[in-house]
Amino acid sequence: DALGVEIETQLQECGVPCAMDETRFGAAIAHILRNAAEASARGSKVTIAASTDYRGMRGMVEVIDRGCGMNSEVMKQIFRPYFTTKPGRLGLGLSVAREMLTRMGGSLAVSSNETRGMTFRARFPMKRPRLVTARDDEAAGDAISSTPTNDHQ
């Protein structure tokens, strides 16, 4: 990585079925990851972890950095457009990420430990799993048996 951090992933093997626009969701997570990488010391780790809450039908992606964290005054402003603590940066990444997630039915929250870094939690609606029933199996069988074939080739 150009910023000199290692990205550690803790992802579910089966994935998290996201009910959001994948491109926009990916862009929001990229903004959060960039912020975490910039806040972290060269050679440190940034962790991205995905999990599901099937009862609440919500997914969650956590981005955890091991930077210096933020005090409560900075935390109050972190999602405000153009707010930044980094020289030469615009201060739009986190506000854009939060807005994108909110418009798609998700949310973005943050917690900080001033000595151990930040944790950003993106929560989002999941696709509802569709259960296959015996009736679905019968319909699929009927569709296959009634599909014309051309065996004369």
Side-chain angles (χ1 to χ4, degrees):
D1 182 274
L3 296 171
V5 298
E6 177 187 341
I7 304 295
E8 172 187 56
T9 57
Q10 297 174 1
L11 308 175
Q12 291 181 188
E13 198 170 301
C14 62
V16 178
C18 177
M20 301 174 103
D21 179 286
E22 291 179 29
T23 302
R24 288 187 179 138
F25 182 72
I29 297 300
H31 282 298
I32 299 164
L33 273 170
R34 179 171 187 90
N35 184 79
E38 289 175 348
S40 299
R42 213 165 180 65
S44 65
K45 285 185 185 178
V46 171
T47 302
I48 182 166
S51 60
T52 55
D53 171 10
Y54 286 104
R55 286 176 290 168
M57 290 307 295
R58 305 288 289 174
M60 181 170 65
V61 172
E62 290 183 307
V63 176
I64 305 157
D65 71 49
R66 286 141 182 102
C68 61
M70 293 185 184
N71 65 42
S72 60
E73 289 305 309
V74 172
M75 291 283 290
K76 290 177 188 175
Q77 302 178 72
I78 195 169
F79 294 115
R80 204 178 80 218
Y82 303 106
F83 175 79
T84 184
T85 60
K86 300 170 195 155
R89 303 297 295 168
L90 290 177
L92 290 174
L94 293 176
S95 64
V96 167
R98 186 181 219 183
E99 182 66 21
M100 291 171 84
L101 290 166
T102 301
R103 286 183 181 210
M104 293 184 287
S107 64
L108 180 60
V110 63
S111 59
S112 176
N113 179 319
E114 280 190 64
T115 60
R116 291 189 316 210
M118 310 275 294
T119 299
F120 288 89
R121 288 179 186 86
R123 290 186 171 88
F124 51 90
M126 291 180 3
K127 291 180 183 174
R128 294 211 176 269
R130 187 177 174 294
L131 297 177
V132 177
T133 64
R135 192 173 294 168
D136 292 331
D137 286 341
E138 289 170 16
D142 291 344
I144 291 169
S145 64
S146 65
T147 302
T149 60
N150 189 355
D151 293 333
H152 302 296
Q153 291 180 354

